[in-house]
Amino acid sequence: MKRFLIIPMALFVLTVCSEEHSNDFTRDSTPISGEFIEVDGLLGRPSNLIYIDGFLLMEDVYDGKALTLLDVETGRIVNRLLSVGGGPDEVLPGSGRMSYSQENRELYRFQIQSGDFYTYAVPAFGRAEEWIPERKSSVRLADRPANAVAMSEALVGIGPFEDGRYHVYDKNGTFVSAAGSYPFEGEKIDYIPRFFLYQGYFCAQPGGNRFAQGCSYSDHLEFYEIENGIRPIKQYGSTDVRASFGDNRIILDDNCLLGYKGSYATESYCYMLYSGRTYAENRRQKMWAKYIFVFDWNGRFVRSFVADKLIYSFCVDEKNEVIYGIGMHKEEYALMKFKI
């Protein structure tokens, strides 16, 4: 990172990356069957799943707490974490994605309302142990992006920026450089509408130097690397967004392709939840999908899965080869697992 920081900002230029038309990653997908997990407590609308050593950590506001910790072996809720509120030790729900580094045993959470990026130390779990963060640190990002993720030596944010699609910060939250451009016709659109029209799901390699984003309303997917500058290394996509933006909302055409609906990162792989349906085919719902694509951090496609149930959010236990997801069961949000 020292080498990264001393490079003049004028040198943070993008080189031409490998570009491909979107392959049909849905072809030859491996079918996976989900079974619902019996939970011994109440869940609301869980989202943003993280797998940690036999536990699921999820956003799920309940009884004044923002997060729920669940033992996947027993289905037992072992703790509710992080008080909801605006105080110094409180968080606001739904304020940005969480991510986790197994190597560093750190949980990352961005709070969009304040622009604060939190890092929590995660202790080793015991089967009956409740998690209490051992250490918390926070930095305020310079220009309050809409979301931010951690890499080994930098933070990367997305937002309605006038310059660039991504902003890079050092670990103190100081702005370093802008990078990236919007695909298709995005660069011809004003900076606020283009951000919302080309919004997507964003993740970074924990402990590494790669990040990726897939568009929610297009099949565009791109991978970047931070190394002596910011370099695009791979992109896919052939279908532009079919939508308009007005009155601070997105209006999708019925034939707008629903693309990437979730992401999950591990040290080895980038996982992307993908729909592939049009807005009309998806009953005019913007969420839910069945395909999970797997890429390495060079942006190379590895394999794909197709679930027998629609998924809202997911995470991956690579060691035990299980995908955990949120679906609907008896008209309620429920947890399920897929053996892969």
Side-chain angles (χ1 to χ4, degrees):
M1 185 61 182
K2 291 180 180 178
R3 178 177 55 179
F4 167 63
L5 288 177
I6 62 175
I7 297 171
M9 289 180 62
L11 295 183
F12 282 79
V13 296
L14 297 178
T15 60
V16 176
C17 69
S18 172
E19 181 176 355
E20 299 183 9
H21 289 296
S22 181
N23 295 329
D24 185 3
F25 300 132
T26 64
R27 289 185 302 176
D28 302 321
S29 295
T30 302
I32 52 175
S33 299
E35 59 178 276
F36 288 97
I37 300 172
E38 293 291 335
V39 178
D40 73 344
L42 296 176
L43 295 175
R45 186 175 176 173
S47 65
N48 209 354
L49 301 181
I50 302 285
Y51 177 81
I52 309 175
D53 300 342
F55 290 79
L56 288 182
L57 184 66
M58 67 195 86
E59 296 264 4
D60 189 46
V61 178
Y62 182 86
D63 197 24
K65 301 291 186 178
L67 307 181
T68 295
L69 185 68
L70 179 118
D71 185 324
V72 296
E73 183 178 314
T74 65
R76 183 172 65 90
I77 294 175
V78 298
N79 207 356
R80 310 278 188 174
L81 305 163
L82 304 185
S83 297
V84 173
D89 293 317
E90 297 175 326
V91 299
L92 296 173
S95 60
R97 287 185 55 80
M98 296 187 298
S99 59
Y100 174 66
S101 170
Q102 177 68 40
E103 180 180 337
N104 298 328
R105 297 202 64 82
E106 290 180 335
L107 177 75
Y108 309 108
R109 191 175 188 278
F110 177 68
Q111 186 153 300
I112 186 173
Q113 292 88 344
S114 64
D116 289 323
F117 190 92
Y118 291 92
T119 301
Y120 299 91
V122 177
F125 286 129
R127 301 310 302 179
E129 190 176 26
E130 295 184 353
W131 175 47
I132 299 174
E134 293 180 337
R135 171 179 55 81
K136 181 188 78 170
S137 61
S138 67
V139 296
R140 181 156 295 179
L141 301 189
D143 50 10
R144 294 196 183 186
N147 199 5
V149 293
M151 304 174 70
S152 61
E153 299 293 343
L155 306 175
V156 181
I158 55 173
F161 306 130
E162 293 188 56
D163 55 333
R165 192 177 187 190
Y166 307 102
H167 280 187
V168 180
Y169 312 87
D170 66 19
K171 285 299 185 76
N172 295 316
T174 303
F175 172 81
V176 175
S177 181
S181 59
Y182 286 84
F184 307 113
E185 300 297 310
E187 289 297 310
K188 300 177 183 178
I189 303 172
D190 190 58
Y191 68 96
I192 293 177
R194 73 185 180 190
F195 168 72
F196 288 101
L197 290 171
Y198 291 95
Q199 66 181 280
Y201 284 83
F202 177 51
C203 62
Q205 181 184 23
N209 65 344
R210 309 284 175 90
F211 66 93
Q213 177 166 259
C215 287
S216 292
Y217 308 124
S218 162
D219 63 354
H220 188 265
L221 171 66
E222 59 187 17
F223 290 81
Y224 281 79
E225 176 184 49
I226 296 182
E227 181 68 30
N228 291 329
I230 303 159
R231 183 175 70 92
I233 54 177
K234 195 79 167 180
Q235 63 176 310
Y236 304 93
S238 60
T239 305
D240 202 353
V241 177
R242 295 185 174 96
S244 59
F245 182 82
D247 297 325
N248 292 317
R249 66 189 185 99
I250 297 172
I251 304 167
L252 298 182
D253 295 349
D254 276 352
N255 63 346
C256 181
L257 178 68
L258 299 181
Y260 294 93
K261 296 299 168 185
S263 64
Y264 192 76
T266 68
E267 275 78 359
S268 300
Y269 296 106
C270 170
Y271 298 82
M272 287 283 178
L273 179 65
Y274 183 78
S275 171
R277 294 182 172 188
T278 66
Y279 186 47
E281 289 170 340
N282 209 46
R283 299 180 180 179
R284 295 183 174 82
Q285 297 183 78
K286 295 181 179 180
M287 303 304 296
W288 304 94
K290 285 189 174 183
Y291 291 97
I292 294 176
F293 300 155
V294 187
F295 301 86
D296 67 19
W297 285 107
N298 292 314
R300 292 188 293 253
F301 173 71
V302 176
R303 65 185 302 191
S304 63
F305 302 99
V306 57
D308 64 344
K309 299 174 178 64
L310 288 170
I311 297 171
Y312 178 75
S313 181
F314 77 103
C315 67
V316 183
D317 171 9
E318 289 182 335
K319 179 180 178 181
N320 296 301
E321 299 183 325
V322 174
I323 292 174
Y324 293 97
I326 297 168
M328 292 297 292
H329 183 54
K330 298 179 180 179
E331 300 183 349
E332 293 184 350
Y333 286 85
L335 295 174
M336 53 188 174
K337 64 179 179 179
F338 301 85
K339 188 67 178 177
I340 58 177

